[in-house]
Amino acid sequence: MNVVPLQVTGAATLAVVLLALWAGSGGGVRGMIRTAVLRLDRVATGIAAILACLALALAAAAGLWQVFARFATETPSIWSEALVRTALIWMAYLGVALALRGGALVSIDVAHRLTSGALRRSIEAAALACSLSLMGIMFWFGWTMAQRVQFQEMAGLEVSMTWGYAAIPVGAVFAMIGALAHFLDRRDAELEYAA
């Protein structure tokens, strides 16, 4: 079994969590790094949100065309089902970045309410480490799969399968940025309204 992806992901996760802990407390260089990460996050999360919305709109339009073609013209479209499936995959993987940025994917609400200080920060760091590890593995194996299927074509669309599998590593990169930004600048509005 090849353990290199796990070793690389583990080491990178540890390095990023330590950097995030360092950058999250203090000014000067730490503040500059935190500001740069949050600026990158605003751009990356905005791009991910726009692309996810476009993917959903594309899936809806292709699905509507499929229904129209099947029932109105009685000639089903051969490309629309594959396009709907691919667009929904892209929407889901890009949406993970938005969920992580909002703190909705790895929710530690009860632990967050019941703790404070260093214990709370260590729980948040553990959640960041789990998210980064998962996204690192998704990136590694998603990239590998996208390379493996580059010579296969999607039925109906006649484009490389790489376009479908590329959603995994691209979404993972956006999600890593969102998870890191959430750690540095928590947005837990749902905690304020929870009973």
Side-chain angles (χ1 to χ4, degrees), residues 61-62 65-66 76-84 155-157:
W65 171 254
Q66 175 66 12
S77 173
I78 59 171
W79 55 267
S80 59
E81 182 182 344
L83 184 59
V84 168
L157 290 179

Short mmCIF file of all heavy atoms in Angstrom, two decimals, residues 61-62 65-66 76-84 155-157:
data_model
loop_
_atom_site.label_atom_id
_atom_site.label_comp_id
_atom_site.label_asym_id
_atom_site.label_seq_id
_atom_site.Cartn_x
_atom_site.Cartn_y
_atom_site.Cartn_z
N ALA A 61 -31.11 24.20 -16.48
CA ALA A 61 -31.44 24.46 -17.90
C ALA A 61 -31.34 23.17 -18.72
O ALA A 61 -32.22 22.90 -19.56
CB ALA A 61 -30.50 25.52 -18.46
N ALA A 62 -30.29 22.39 -18.49
CA ALA A 62 -30.15 21.13 -19.24
C ALA A 62 -31.25 20.15 -18.86
O ALA A 62 -31.76 19.41 -19.73
CB ALA A 62 -28.77 20.52 -18.97
N TRP A 65 -34.37 21.30 -20.62
CA TRP A 65 -34.29 20.93 -22.03
C TRP A 65 -34.58 19.44 -22.23
O TRP A 65 -35.26 19.05 -23.18
CB TRP A 65 -32.93 21.27 -22.61
CG TRP A 65 -32.77 20.71 -24.00
CD1 TRP A 65 -32.01 19.65 -24.37
CD2 TRP A 65 -33.42 21.17 -25.17
NE1 TRP A 65 -32.15 19.41 -25.71
CE2 TRP A 65 -33.03 20.33 -26.23
CE3 TRP A 65 -34.32 22.20 -25.43
CZ2 TRP A 65 -33.49 20.50 -27.52
CZ3 TRP A 65 -34.78 22.37 -26.72
CH2 TRP A 65 -34.36 21.53 -27.76
N GLN A 66 -34.07 18.60 -21.33
CA GLN A 66 -34.29 17.16 -21.43
C GLN A 66 -35.79 16.85 -21.35
O GLN A 66 -36.30 16.05 -22.13
CB GLN A 66 -33.53 16.41 -20.33
CG GLN A 66 -33.80 14.93 -20.26
CD GLN A 66 -33.29 14.17 -21.48
OE1 GLN A 66 -32.55 14.68 -22.30
NE2 GLN A 66 -33.71 12.93 -21.60
N PRO A 76 -35.55 12.46 -27.27
CA PRO A 76 -34.74 12.77 -26.09
C PRO A 76 -33.32 13.20 -26.47
O PRO A 76 -32.73 12.68 -27.42
CB PRO A 76 -34.70 11.47 -25.31
CG PRO A 76 -35.66 10.55 -25.96
CD PRO A 76 -36.02 11.10 -27.29
N SER A 77 -32.82 14.14 -25.73
CA SER A 77 -31.47 14.64 -25.95
C SER A 77 -30.46 13.65 -25.36
O SER A 77 -30.65 13.16 -24.25
CB SER A 77 -31.34 16.00 -25.27
OG SER A 77 -30.03 16.44 -25.33
N ILE A 78 -29.39 13.37 -26.07
CA ILE A 78 -28.41 12.41 -25.57
C ILE A 78 -27.37 13.06 -24.67
O ILE A 78 -26.67 12.39 -23.93
CB ILE A 78 -27.70 11.68 -26.73
CG1 ILE A 78 -26.98 12.68 -27.63
CG2 ILE A 78 -28.69 10.85 -27.52
CD1 ILE A 78 -26.09 12.03 -28.65
N TRP A 79 -27.25 14.37 -24.70
CA TRP A 79 -26.20 15.05 -23.96
C TRP A 79 -26.67 15.65 -22.64
O TRP A 79 -25.87 15.90 -21.75
CB TRP A 79 -25.58 16.15 -24.80
CG TRP A 79 -26.59 17.14 -25.33
CD1 TRP A 79 -27.22 17.10 -26.52
CD2 TRP A 79 -27.09 18.30 -24.64
NE1 TRP A 79 -28.09 18.16 -26.65
CE2 TRP A 79 -28.02 18.90 -25.50
CE3 TRP A 79 -26.84 18.87 -23.41
CZ2 TRP A 79 -28.72 20.06 -25.16
CZ3 TRP A 79 -27.54 20.02 -23.06
CH2 TRP A 79 -28.45 20.60 -23.93
N SER A 80 -27.96 15.90 -22.49
CA SER A 80 -28.42 16.67 -21.34
C SER A 80 -28.28 15.93 -20.01
O SER A 80 -27.94 16.54 -18.99
CB SER A 80 -29.87 17.13 -21.53
OG SER A 80 -30.70 16.01 -21.71
N GLU A 81 -28.50 14.63 -19.99
CA GLU A 81 -28.38 13.89 -18.73
C GLU A 81 -26.94 13.92 -18.21
O GLU A 81 -26.70 14.15 -17.02
CB GLU A 81 -28.84 12.45 -18.90
CG GLU A 81 -28.79 11.66 -17.62
CD GLU A 81 -29.19 10.21 -17.80
OE1 GLU A 81 -29.79 9.86 -18.83
OE2 GLU A 81 -28.89 9.43 -16.89
N ALA A 82 -25.98 13.71 -19.10
CA ALA A 82 -24.58 13.76 -18.69
C ALA A 82 -24.18 15.16 -18.24
O ALA A 82 -23.42 15.32 -17.28
CB ALA A 82 -23.68 13.30 -19.84
N LEU A 83 -24.71 16.19 -18.89
CA LEU A 83 -24.40 17.56 -18.51
C LEU A 83 -25.00 17.89 -17.14
O LEU A 83 -24.34 18.53 -16.31
CB LEU A 83 -24.91 18.54 -19.56
CG LEU A 83 -24.57 20.01 -19.33
CD1 LEU A 83 -23.06 20.21 -19.25
CD2 LEU A 83 -25.16 20.87 -20.42
N VAL A 84 -26.22 17.44 -16.88
CA VAL A 84 -26.84 17.66 -15.58
C VAL A 84 -26.01 17.00 -14.49
O VAL A 84 -25.70 17.61 -13.45
CB VAL A 84 -28.29 17.12 -15.55
CG1 VAL A 84 -28.83 17.07 -14.13
CG2 VAL A 84 -29.19 17.97 -16.43
N ALA A 155 -20.01 9.74 -22.02
CA ALA A 155 -21.05 9.36 -22.98
C ALA A 155 -22.04 10.51 -23.12
O ALA A 155 -22.51 11.07 -22.14
CB ALA A 155 -21.77 8.11 -22.50
N GLY A 156 -22.33 10.86 -24.34
CA GLY A 156 -23.29 11.92 -24.61
C GLY A 156 -22.65 13.29 -24.79
O GLY A 156 -23.10 14.06 -25.61
N LEU A 157 -21.62 13.58 -24.03
CA LEU A 157 -20.97 14.89 -24.16
C LEU A 157 -19.76 14.86 -25.07
O LEU A 157 -19.36 15.88 -25.61
CB LEU A 157 -20.56 15.42 -22.78
CG LEU A 157 -21.68 15.83 -21.84
CD1 LEU A 157 -21.11 16.32 -20.53
CD2 LEU A 157 -22.54 16.91 -22.48
#
